[in-house]
Amino acid sequence: MYAITPPSNNPFTSQFRFMNIRHLGIYFPVDATFMSIIPRFDQLVSLEVAPYDSNHDFDYYAELQALLDRAPLLYSLIFRCWSRTSARITPIEYSNSSVRRLDVQNIDQCYNPEQCVALIRSSWALQCQVLCIAVENRLSILDLINAMTQLRLLNVLCQDDPWNTDEHNQSSSKEDELIGWLQHHVPATFAIVRNAEKSFNYDFKSCYSILIWIG
């Protein structure tokens, strides 16, 4: 995976060309040399994007959408550390018809119910098979499952989850309340487990998400 950061005025940087990039991590904004270093994205399958400085509310829409328009094989799109003050809630206003895995879990904010509805009404709802997200309300989990008809796996953090605020629950064999609630509200064919690996989000710091296989 190549990680591209803003230039350091290195005169040798522009001499490199990467013609068949498949996995790319990039910080926005990019400078004029970026397209000369990576002139094509037709082999790109995984893209991770983040702002170079999350304290500034730059508008990356045009730059990122231009890249997405040139990536016909892109499967996985990951957003990291998006500005909490940004007027745009990722990734609703972006589009790429080939993306099947969307990760907005670590963007330093949780999707509220209205933002979840906006995501459901976007083009992503018709194509996303794997979604990683952080939500404020557990009812939004059901909304996402019911509305995103292609969804096969949901990796979700929820503010309305006692497990991540109760150390006793995490270290004991007590029933996982949110998993029990979800099992009561979704078909028995769904598999629901607590993620063994920690997830990170500004509103949670570190916690354990829930994995829902939809079947």
Side-chain angles (χ1 to χ4, degrees):
M1 177 174 179
Y2 294 97
I4 306 298
T5 60
S8 57
N9 296 320
N10 187 330
F12 299 103
T13 301
S14 61
Q15 298 180 18
F16 291 96
R17 298 289 185 276
F18 300 103
M19 305 299 294
N20 295 297
I21 290 287
R22 291 179 57 81
H23 306 279
L24 176 65
I26 182 172
Y27 290 89
F28 285 100
V30 296
D31 78 322
T33 65
F34 174 71
M35 290 299 181
S36 63
I37 297 172
I38 306 180
R40 50 190 290 185
F41 302 93
D42 56 321
Q43 300 300 311
L44 190 66
V45 296
S46 175
L47 175 64
E48 182 173 336
V49 298
Y52 183 67
D53 185 348
S54 60
N55 293 321
H56 293 279
D57 189 19
F58 297 113
D59 188 350
Y60 313 109
Y61 177 80
E63 289 183 345
L64 178 53
Q65 187 58 57
L67 194 160
L68 292 174
D69 290 342
R70 299 176 59 190
L73 300 182
L74 188 64
Y75 172 82
S76 176
L77 178 59
I78 304 168
F79 290 87
R80 294 282 184 257
C81 304
W82 220 249
S83 172
R84 295 175 64 83
T85 62
S86 176
R88 300 179 187 273
I89 177 71
T90 59
I92 295 170
E93 298 185 23
Y94 300 101
S95 62
N96 177 291
S97 61
S98 66
V99 170
R100 295 295 180 267
R101 182 184 185 277
L102 182 63
D103 186 342
V104 291
Q105 196 170 88
N106 187 15
I107 60 170
D108 290 351
Q109 55 184 305
C110 292
Y111 276 63
N112 62 37
E114 293 75 20
Q115 291 164 339
C116 286
V117 170
L119 178 60
I120 287 169
R121 292 175 177 173
S122 72
S123 61
W124 301 108
L126 302 176
Q127 65 189 74
C128 188
Q129 296 178 350
V130 179
L131 176 63
C132 304
I133 193 171
V135 300
E136 291 183 356
N137 191 299
R138 64 179 62 188
L139 292 175
S140 294
I141 300 175
L142 302 182
D143 292 339
L144 292 168
I145 290 173
N146 292 329
M148 300 182 71
T149 57
Q150 301 301 313
L151 199 61
R152 296 295 175 264
L153 172 62
L154 178 62
N155 181 333
V156 61
L157 288 170
C158 183
Q159 282 188 329
D160 184 18
D161 183 359
W163 184 272
N164 288 315
T165 58
D166 188 341
E167 292 294 334
H168 179 66
N169 276 349
Q170 296 183 36
S171 60
S172 74
S173 59
K174 289 182 63 176
E175 179 183 359
D176 191 321
E177 188 272 338
L178 182 54
I179 287 184
W181 183 87
L182 287 167
Q183 290 172 334
H184 182 72
H185 287 84
V186 302
T189 54
F190 287 23
I192 308 174
V193 299
R194 181 68 64 173
N195 195 348
E197 297 183 0
K198 279 189 176 182
S199 301
F200 295 89
N201 178 283
Y202 183 90
D203 291 316
F204 297 87
K205 302 304 181 184
S206 65
C207 50
Y208 297 87
S209 64
I210 287 178
L211 304 176
I212 305 172
W213 282 271
I214 299 166

